Amino acid sequence: MTAVTWNDGRLITLNGGDTASCNGNLNQGQLYALVFYNSAGNDANATVNVIWSQSQPPVKVTVPGTTGNQGLAALCFVSGSDTASVSISLTTADPGVKIDAYIASVKMPTNTSGINNVGAPIGSTASFTKFTRFYGVPASHWYDVTLKSNINQFISVQLTENKANVVILNQQADPSNTIAYTGTTQNQVTVTGKTYNTYEYPIQGNGTQWVWVNADSAQNSQTATLAIQSLQATYNLFAKQKVDA
């Protein structure tokens, strides 16, 4: 059994009985998504205990089993306003369990080894891959964001400082069994399910960082894309038309 120091939120691999702890490194006011993948290569589910308070029971997260390391991710949200520390442990009750995990937020992971950590595609389109984290600081105007996937039940997460939006494209099933919450975080997370393959929505930049991560399998991520288009020129044209009028 191994105890891992997880203060940088990096991508780690745990086996049955292993633990990982982020001690005092969660920031007040920030929301974090713990992202778990079942990497055992068998179809048995793994149970992760998320410990965030001395006075509260652990939150149990079921990470779906899969063959070929192609499973969906499971998510658990933690707020730095509730706790400065979080630990996870992988139960030994399920034989042969093994997971990959990392912490996603506007801050983490600070060690991006093994993560596809790239700038958000502002003005272009980029493909998701497994363990993708897009980050960017949109300027203070409106943008159009488009998520697209032809795969059933593609899941991604948009994170800002203290809010998250879990977006499900081509939704086929209730995702609640793979999304868990600690403390007050359920009030900070929106789950947006769409039965079609494209979701387009506006955001307004405010000088703070935005992050998008995928929470799906490697094979499901291959055809999924994120596009972010600035609407500043359109808004400028609209303003000019009003002046001319």
Side-chain angles (χ1 to χ4, degrees), residues 117 136 143 196 221:
N117 191 55
Y143 295 81
Y196 36 86
S221 300

Side-chain angles (χ1 to χ4, degrees), residues 65 123 140 143 201 205:
S140 297
Y143 295 81
Y201 62 97

Side-chain angles (χ1 to χ4, degrees), residues 39-76:
S39 55
N42 57 54
D43 58 4
N45 293 339
T47 301
V48 180
N49 291 302
V50 179
I51 301 165
W52 63 280
S53 169
Q54 289 184 331
S55 61
Q56 299 293 325
V59 173
K60 293 188 177 294
V61 183
T62 300
V63 187
T66 176
T67 56
N69 197 18
Q70 296 292 339
L72 307 179
L75 301 166
C76 184

Side-chain angles (χ1 to χ4, degrees), residues 10-201:
R10 71 189 184 280
L11 179 64
I12 58 174
T13 299
L14 299 182
N15 296 288
D18 290 348
T19 63
S21 298
C22 177
N23 294 314
N25 214 32
L26 303 184
N27 288 7
Q28 175 76 21
Q30 285 194 0
L31 182 66
Y32 299 84
L34 312 184
V35 186
F36 305 113
Y37 281 88
N38 192 319
S39 55
N42 57 54
D43 58 4
N45 293 339
T47 301
V48 180
N49 291 302
V50 179
I51 301 165
W52 63 280
S53 169
Q54 289 184 331
S55 61
Q56 299 293 325
V59 173
K60 293 188 177 294
V61 183
T62 300
V63 187
T66 176
T67 56
N69 197 18
Q70 296 292 339
L72 307 179
L75 301 166
C76 184
F77 289 94
V78 181
S79 172
S81 296
D82 292 330
T83 178
S85 302
V86 66
S87 297
I88 62 173
S89 66
L90 192 56
T91 179
T92 57
D94 304 315
V97 295
K98 182 180 180 181
I99 65 162
D100 297 324
Y102 72 98
I103 304 176
S105 73
V106 297
K107 171 187 176 181
M108 288 188 175
T110 55
N111 177 350
T112 58
S113 178
I115 301 290
N116 181 36
N117 191 55
V118 293
I122 297 175
S124 62
T125 301
S127 297
F128 283 98
T129 60
K130 192 174 183 180
F131 307 134
T132 290
R133 177 183 183 270
F134 293 113
Y135 62 89
V137 180
S140 297
H141 58 258
W142 287 99
Y143 295 81
D144 183 74
V145 177
T146 303
L147 292 163
K148 186 174 183 180
S149 174
N150 294 323
I151 299 295
N152 286 344
Q153 197 92 350
F154 177 76
I155 301 175
S156 63
V157 186
Q158 174 194 285
L159 290 153
T160 54
E161 186 85 6
N162 58 5
K163 297 287 184 181
N165 186 12
V166 180
V167 178
I168 307 159
L169 298 179
N170 298 314
Q171 183 173 350
Q172 303 293 309
D174 183 357
S176 60
N177 61 327
T178 56
I179 303 175
Y181 308 91
T182 66
T184 62
T185 57
Q186 193 159 5
N187 298 325
Q188 299 172 263
V189 179
T190 302
V191 178
T192 303
K194 300 296 180 181
T195 57
Y196 36 86
N197 70 352
T198 302
Y199 177 45
E200 188 173 351
Y201 62 97

